[in-house]
Amino acid sequence: HPSIHRNLALLKSPEGAELVDSLCYSFQVAQPTTGALVELETGGADIPVTTENRRDFADRYARMLLVDSVRTALLSFCKGARFCLGVDKPAFELCTEEDLELLICGTRELGDFRDLEAVAGDVNGDDPSH
């Protein structure tokens, strides 16, 4: 979310050092999509965010949002992708970000639908004019 990025960047900046005491943050935060309280480190509810640890807080918060909160779904996706694609782990790790995007999303170019119609079959036996 752009506002979270802006706020974390501000917190890490020199200007953030001036603001941190007025924010009353701790290392316990609400997960934005569920509202569940998450400790960014053990005992986080009792650890105030200070000028000295504000960068650590911002880094841990970003990691919670971008990695930890989606870990289970991402691992399940990877397991399914490896199964469906018939790709073993070492080969899968050779994929670049662009390769993975192409495998997941397909091409951005729609191409010619006549090519698709020529090779696609209709499992319901419907007339092609439908």
Side-chain angles (χ1 to χ4, degrees):
H1 196 276
S3 65
I4 293 173
H5 174 264
R6 279 192 306 274
N7 291 336
L8 291 177
L10 175 62
L11 187 61
K12 291 175 79 169
S13 74
E15 294 82 20
E18 300 169 10
L19 299 172
V20 73
D21 291 331
S22 65
L23 297 174
C24 300
Y25 284 173
S26 73
F27 276 72
Q28 180 181 24
V29 297
Q31 212 280 345
T33 56
T34 65
L37 293 178
V38 177
E39 288 191 337
L40 301 177
E41 68 175 86
T42 304
D46 299 320
I47 302 171
V49 177
T50 64
T51 302
E52 293 76 27
N53 68 13
R54 72 187 195 282
R55 288 186 181 93
D56 183 40
F57 169 82
D59 292 342
R60 288 174 185 258
Y61 189 74
R63 180 175 178 79
M64 181 273 298
L65 288 175
L66 300 173
V67 178
D68 299 340
S69 67
V70 296
R71 181 179 311 277
T72 301
L74 186 58
L75 290 174
S76 295
F77 170 79
C78 289
K79 181 180 177 183
R82 282 193 302 270
F83 176 78
C84 291
L85 298 172
V87 179
D88 63 357
K89 187 175 180 182
F92 195 64
E93 289 175 351
L94 294 174
C95 293
T96 65
E97 293 173 12
E98 293 80 15
D99 296 335
L100 292 175
E101 181 180 12
L102 183 61
L103 288 170
I104 295 165
C105 303
T107 181
R108 293 179 190 259
E109 305 292 325
L110 290 178
D112 188 345
F113 279 96
R114 289 177 290 200
D115 294 338
L116 177 62
E117 290 171 347
V119 298
D122 188 334
V123 296
N124 294 324
D126 291 335
D127 185 276
S129 63
H130 285 125

